[in-house]
Amino acid sequence: MNKSGFITSKGDYRELIVFKKGECIYDLTYHFAHRFFNRSDRTIDQMIQAARSCKQNIIEGSAASKTSRETEIKLFNVAKASLDELLADYEDYIRVRDLALWPEQKQIKVREFCKNHNDSALYRKIAPSRNDETLANLAITMIHQEIYLLVRLIEKAKKDFLENGGIREEMSRARREYRNSTGNKGINGK
């Protein structure tokens, strides 16, 4: 419990790995969609919007976490749903073009690489020199990691709610603590 009040600071969303990885997925998807789809294909906007929705809902959920755990959890779930949609787009791309999903051994190596590299500039740098099969598989790997991180973030928010309640409970707790620290006197000392 935050002893200085009832609206706790949650930190900067930019420092969250889940945000950094979401940004990597957005940048990779932006490049992929513009490079490998025909300019008139609606899939470009759909994939980019799904990637953007994930990233933006992480930002909004982090901001909402200060005053509404319900909204925080809902927005993190929207981020996850957007990723599920994006994952299906990448899987469709590979399937309808008869490209190969990476075998388990390669996925394990790439997972380890992605786990340790969450700087979107790196993915923007390597994207132009990779083919569509490689980039789609890389994106799929990162999306699976991001979904895992989001599920953990959602579970953490649920646990926090169960342990501490919502903003109303925090406000009541803070008010009781204030009254107890002032000897049950009201704001005017009466």
Side-chain angles (χ1 to χ4, degrees), residues 35-131:
R35 183 170 163 207
F36 296 112
F37 286 102
N38 182 304
R39 189 182 264 195
S40 63
D41 194 329
R42 289 184 39 205
T43 308
I44 294 171
D45 289 337
Q46 290 170 334
M47 289 181 75
I48 291 170
Q49 286 307 313
R52 182 183 182 280
S53 174
C54 170
K55 186 174 70 72
Q56 296 307 109
N57 278 290
I58 291 168
I59 293 169
E60 288 182 54
S62 295
S65 70
K66 293 179 182 176
T67 57
S68 174
R69 289 198 177 90
E70 178 185 0
T71 302
E72 171 189 27
I73 292 167
K74 283 180 181 177
L75 289 168
F76 290 156
N77 272 303
V78 171
K80 183 189 169 300
S82 295
L83 280 179
D84 290 333
E85 178 185 340
L86 183 60
L87 177 62
D89 284 334
Y90 277 112
E91 289 171 340
D92 289 347
Y93 184 93
I94 286 176
R95 188 187 65 259
V96 300
R97 289 165 179 81
D98 292 321
L99 301 174
L101 279 172
W102 284 339
E104 184 66 24
Q105 279 306 106
K106 183 153 187 172
Q107 288 180 30
I108 290 169
K109 283 177 140 178
V110 174
R111 265 196 308 260
E112 193 61 32
F113 175 83
C114 293
K115 179 181 172 185
N116 296 310
H117 295 88
N118 295 308
D119 180 7
S120 62
L122 171 67
Y123 297 98
R124 288 192 310 273
K125 181 179 177 185
I126 66 173
S129 64
R130 303 307 196 275
N131 65 24

Side-chain angles (χ1 to χ4, degrees), residues 163-187:
E163 291 176 357
N164 300 307
I167 188 70
R168 288 187 183 135
E169 289 93 345
E170 288 183 9
M171 291 169 72
S172 294
R173 230 181 344 262
R175 181 75 175 134
R176 281 190 305 274
E177 287 175 5
Y178 174 79
R179 285 183 173 168
N180 290 338
S181 70
T182 61
N184 264 344
K185 295 179 184 172
I187 294 175

Side-chain angles (χ1 to χ4, degrees), residues 21-22 24-33 36 47 51 83 86-91 93-94 101-102 110-111 114 123 126-127 130-147:
K21 190 160 296 297
C24 294
I25 292 168
Y26 173 81
D27 290 0
L28 190 63
T29 299
Y30 185 89
H31 176 84
F32 180 91
F36 296 112
M47 289 181 75
L83 280 179
L86 183 60
L87 177 62
D89 284 334
Y90 277 112
E91 289 171 340
Y93 184 93
I94 286 176
L101 279 172
W102 284 339
V110 174
R111 265 196 308 260
C114 293
Y123 297 98
I126 66 173
R130 303 307 196 275
N131 65 24
D132 57 345
E133 183 177 292
T134 299
L135 290 180
N137 275 286
L138 177 60
I140 288 169
T141 300
M142 292 172 64
I143 290 168
H144 281 295
Q145 287 179 324
E146 182 77 340
I147 289 172

